[in-house]
Amino acid sequence: MRVTDLIHKKREGEALTHEELQFLIRGYTAGEIPDYQMSAFTMATYFRGMTDQETAWLTEEMMHSGDVVDLSRFGNRSVDKHSTGGVGDKTSLIVAPIVASLGGKMAKMSGRGLGHTGGTVDKLESIPGFQTTLSAEAFMRQVDEVGVAIIGQSGNLTPADKKLYALRDVTDTVDSIPLIASSIMSKKLAAGAKSIVLDVKVGSGAFLKTEAQARQLAEKMVSIGTSCGRNVTALLTNMDLPLGYYVGNALEVIEAVEVLKGRGCPDLKAVCVELASHLVKHCQGMPLDDARAHVLHQIESGAAFETMKKWIAAQGGDARALEDYSLLPQASHKHRVLAPHGGYIAHMDTQKIGEASAVLGAGRTVKDAPIDHAAGIVLHKKTGEKVEAGEAIATLYTNQPETAGESERMLLGSIRWSDHEEAAQKLILGVVQA
Ligand code: URA
């Protein structure tokens, strides 16, 4: 087989066979196919797309390019969750202990933040002592005993995706639906869970800006997972406004804990309850309404928060920080952003808010760069709310006071004002299942 023939075939819009995709993925992972040929192939795929069958084969090849975790000992109770990424998205910190407190086994590998989006690993590392690397034995033991372990991506899980994703990142071929679907699902399938909930974010803070694109991606991912014998549900959720009011690592831990204490932002809680309920439905084999009632009970009774404390302590974290927030990293400088005039907030460009938080030190522009866990933004007003001139819209938290001016400009620049109240936005835009 010759790589040039396969590039040509895709360039002409033809479908590749399983053997051809296997040849490309194995050759690329082994370093036998150079980046320049693989970039031509990904660009041809970007323009020509892939059939569902090709996408499934590509996923299968990437999944088997490295280790595959065996969670079969947990049967139907093994669960996983994936978010396509957003701003203020701390749902994993809330959903994992809820589901674990109901008998689910969440063995999850998460990523770090990049660009305007946050990552679960960074959020967890803001808790003093928390370890995001565990040996395979310690990881499994913790999943068994506590019901949840979340670590950084293991070294040899889907190496094909690691290489291909890095290539797509620098060749502007990330936003191709078959390439995103196979990238995400290869990782989820290799991580081994029987039931998976996918949170596909839509809007200005998401990777996919329109509901139609998000639905197409969700349908592909659900179909791939189902054909591999997994229970997969995708929720399309609104990322046209930040999720909750807190953006930034330690700040998001606080907001997540507040939800588990039965307080906190109702919108954030509503999204988490839906995500958790779909997992509980699958892993406990019960109707969705019953699962939802159990999930709400675990929050209200404090049982889910107790599970969170056990989980954090099991991974070396100081669980006292979940009761006494002064034990979390603290910013030396707080700056209030005041409304330049009165009116209603009609829209917030959520990517810009993520960027305004990153500028304060909460995010990184280069992979693996250090971040300031204390930095971030607490919004006091969000889309749809009325604001008086001079009222505080947000408070910026940073240890680099010189960044506050730029962050303030970005935050104010993200807002579109209106002189009248607009209809409230829906949070959950759709559910896709087999
Ligand atoms: N997230 C992934 O894991 N892969 C993609 O291709 C895009 C987002």
Side-chain angles (χ1 to χ4, degrees), residues 245-263:
Y245 285 87
Y246 288 42
V247 181
N249 297 288
L251 293 170
E252 291 190 38
V253 169
I254 296 173
E255 194 171 37
V257 168
E258 286 294 301
V259 169
L260 289 175
K261 286 179 179 168
R263 307 189 291 244

Side-chain angles (χ1 to χ4, degrees), residues 82-84 161 165 168 174 176 179-181 183-184 187 207:
H82 181 85
S83 157
T84 57
D161 175 63
Y165 189 81
R168 288 165 54 213
V174 170
S176 144
L179 295 180
I180 300 173
S183 165
I184 292 175
K187 289 187 283 254
F207 203 37

